Amino acid sequence: MSRVLVRFAPSPTGRLHLGNARVAVLNWLYARANGGAMILRMDDTDTARGSEEFAQGIRDDLVWLGLDWEREESQRARTARHIEAVEDLKTKGRLYPCYETAEELEYKRRRQRARGQPPVYDRTGLTQTAEERAALEAEGRKPHWRFLLDHEDITWEDMARGACHYRGSHLSDPVLIREDGTLLYTLPSVVDDIDFGITHVIRGEDHVVNTAVQIQICRVLGGEPPAYAHMPLVLAADGSGLSKREGSLSLSDLRSQGIEPAAVTALLAALGTAEAPHPERSLDDLAQTFRIDGYGRSAPRLDPAELDRLSAHVVRGLTLEQVAARGISVSEALWEALRPNLVKLSDLSDWVALVDGPVTPVVEADDAEMIAKAAALLPPEPWDGDTWKAWTNAVKAETGRKGKGLFMPLRKALTGLDHGPELGVLLPLIGRDRTLARLTGQPG
Ligand code: GLU
């Protein structure tokens, strides 16, 4: 068997969301698990909606996830090859022009449904004579072109879904060329898969009917169909679909929210399997135990809260070197003290700034007396994780303040802010000298 070669084939019409990122991760893991490689193929034939900015965004997203690819291909750059395939299909009598408008086709489908028939294209275009076609063109109509399906059984053993079976006669001859002469994705995809020697196509379940058609096209073009795995689509926590166009849960959003890429890849690799996510394992390590048949047939749901939890786990497990490599300078003592409380690495710099200062203390007039008493009650060092509780209990007993009325003025005096990390963690790091200075209103 030849070397495993897979492709991830996004259309650069938007940024990647978690659903298509999952397809990328599974392709990469499959290739890595089988000693193969992945190609990144930009399905960029849709020039109206696609853009180089989106293509670059997709590359950035994949790199952020830690995925790599052997080379990149562009479908648009291969138009000449696709046109050759069109000519080949025409010569073989497998492509025929059709002149119906979208409204006429819709009308036909409605009539078929009303009669209880499946809405399969009736092949009117196939039986039209040259004169009839010429007359339609004289009306100003332009043809779209359909592939003539063989009315035979189409079967394949899907690596994810098991045995798949379609009747050619139950499918409409697919449109391969639009009225304006541009190609739909269906044919270029097959041509490229053949020419690149793709051995395995791993993609979303929404393509399963395309596969039935593409297997026939592939054979007519003289190719051997690759193996297929159609993965159930990922649903949002509420059961709705994840859509690229709505930008829901896009990787770029997650990235700007400070979610760790290892949390994303671990969750995507585990989603739909019986395994718990393993964010502490590298992608290479995950590939060691990867099985494409380990994924269930039903649509998994993705809970963003799970992503937050895994991401916090990743952050807390980073080493000081990894933190430094991310451009954050922090002492070992501070890192060790702060990391068990971190949710996002991006919070670390803010926390360090609260410890090291300078902080401009905020003391409201109503709180000045309480803050002065609190300063007087500061215990001597050494301080530890219990100091905050002991100290604030003493302040509470002395001033009668409690809850928000106690903690908020202390927080504002110590950090200059009305929100932030747990003061119990910060206090021993700030230390007695700086705490006292801040409580007495001195910036520092
Ligand atoms: N461009 C298609 C998509 O994003 C690719 C499908 C395929 O993998 O063949 O859905």
Side-chain angles (χ1 to χ4, degrees):
M1 165 124 184
S2 51
R3 180 177 78 129
V4 165
L5 190 64
V6 300
R7 84 294 196 281
F8 176 55
S11 306
T13 53
R15 293 296 290 263
L16 297 184
H17 63 69
L18 284 167
N20 27 57
R22 178 167 180 255
V23 171
V25 168
L26 299 188
N27 270 288
W28 189 95
L29 287 170
Y30 187 80
R32 189 55 60 107
N34 292 283
M38 179 168 94
I39 292 178
L40 172 59
R41 186 184 81 201
M42 291 294 172
D43 282 3
D44 51 5
T45 50
D46 184 349
T47 46
R49 289 189 304 126
S51 75
E52 174 50 32
E53 263 124 276
F54 282 133
Q56 189 52 46
I58 289 170
R59 289 179 207 113
D60 293 345
D61 288 341
L62 294 175
V63 169
W64 178 69
L65 287 176
L67 305 183
D68 55 3
W69 51 96
E70 189 168 80
R71 64 177 202 276
E72 181 178 328
E73 295 282 353
S74 150
Q75 284 202 319
R76 209 184 304 168
R78 294 176 40 80
T79 310
R81 260 303 283 139
H82 302 150
I83 300 301
E84 272 176 34
V86 164
E87 294 310 320
D88 188 17
L89 293 181
K90 282 185 184 166
T91 310
K92 288 172 174 160
R94 299 301 294 266
L95 207 52
Y96 63 94
C98 299
Y99 290 87
E100 295 92 342
T101 63
E103 294 73 36
E104 286 164 350
L105 288 172
E106 180 51 34
Y107 176 70
K108 283 188 183 185
R109 284 192 290 265
R110 251 187 288 136
R111 272 195 15 204
Q112 286 169 313
R113 282 198 204 95
R115 290 198 205 120
Q117 294 166 349
V120 174
Y121 179 59
D122 62 7
R123 294 188 162 171
T124 299
L126 187 63
T127 53
Q128 281 164 333
T129 62
E131 290 73 36
E132 284 169 325
R133 288 176 184 157
L136 288 162
E137 299 211 10
E139 276 177 28
R141 296 194 187 218
K142 292 214 162 30
H144 53 274
W145 294 75
R146 290 185 188 260
F147 175 74
L148 182 64
L149 283 169
D150 258 336
H151 282 178
E152 60 182 15
D153 286 355
I154 308 165
T155 59
W156 73 94
E157 191 60 31
D158 197 281
M159 294 190 294
R161 295 166 67 87
C164 289
H165 175 216
Y166 282 86
R167 290 233 165 99
S169 56
H170 289 183
L171 302 174
S172 290
D173 289 340
V175 177
L176 300 190
I177 309 175
R178 298 184 188 93
E179 250 172 57
D180 65 4
T182 59
L183 291 174
L184 281 99
Y185 136 90
T186 319
L187 177 65
S189 182
V190 176
V191 173
D192 294 350
D193 286 342
I194 296 173
D195 286 0
F196 300 158
I198 298 298
T199 58
H200 297 75
V201 168
I202 301 168
R203 59 184 177 184
E205 184 170 82
D206 49 334
H207 285 289
V208 69
V209 177
N210 285 340
T211 295
V213 164
Q214 287 178 323
I215 284 176
Q216 279 205 5
I217 297 176
C218 179
R219 294 218 165 98
V220 174
L221 292 175
E224 185 50 41
Y228 288 94
H230 290 89
M231 311 309 295
L233 299 183
V234 179
L235 300 178
D238 65 359
S240 64
L242 297 179
S243 156
K244 178 158 60 175
R245 269 164 234 155
E246 287 155 20
S248 60
L249 296 179
S250 75
L251 294 192
S252 56
D253 288 346
L254 296 174
R255 185 179 185 170
S256 53
Q257 287 163 26
I259 296 289
E260 291 292 317
V264 178
T265 48
L267 183 59
L268 294 180
L271 211 59
T273 71
E275 287 280 307
H278 287 290
E280 72 289 352
R281 290 175 61 189
S282 68
L283 277 167
D284 271 315
D285 192 33
L286 288 174
Q288 301 300 316
T289 52
F290 179 79
R291 291 181 58 114
I292 194 78
D293 59 1
Y295 292 83
R297 296 278 303 267
S298 58
R301 291 188 186 208
L302 191 146
D303 179 3
E306 172 81 342
L307 210 46
D308 290 333
R309 190 184 66 73
L310 292 171
S311 185
H313 181 84
V314 172
V315 169
R316 291 168 194 169
L318 294 174
T319 63
L320 192 61
E321 291 71 38
Q322 287 170 321
V323 173
R326 302 268 290 264
I328 299 178
S329 75
V330 56
S331 70
E332 186 164 6
L334 264 187
W335 172 240
E336 290 306 327
L338 292 176
R339 75 173 179 176
N341 302 283
L342 276 175
V343 174
K344 286 169 186 161
L345 190 62
S346 53
D347 293 336
L348 180 63
S349 309
D350 298 340
W351 291 22
V352 170
L354 294 183
V355 171
D356 288 347
V359 159
T360 306
V362 173
V363 178
E364 311 290 347
D366 287 352
D367 300 322
E369 198 185 320
M370 185 276 267
I371 294 291
K373 285 190 176 143
L377 286 167
L378 271 182
E381 286 181 316
W383 285 2
D384 60 21
D386 298 327
T387 306
W388 169 258
K389 200 163 191 314
W391 176 47
T392 51
N393 278 341
V395 178
K396 182 174 162 186
E398 172 84 14
T399 63
R401 294 262 192 142
K402 56 181 196 270
K404 211 174 165 204
L406 171 65
F407 297 118
M408 187 53 81
L410 288 174
R411 175 178 290 285
K412 293 204 300 204
L414 289 176
T415 67
L417 301 173
D418 59 8
H419 61 276
E422 258 186 72
L423 285 168
V425 174
L426 291 190
L427 192 71
L429 300 168
I430 295 172
R432 196 173 192 284
D433 290 348
R434 270 189 302 222
T435 301
L436 192 58
R438 292 179 193 177
L439 291 173
T440 50
Q442 298 160 36

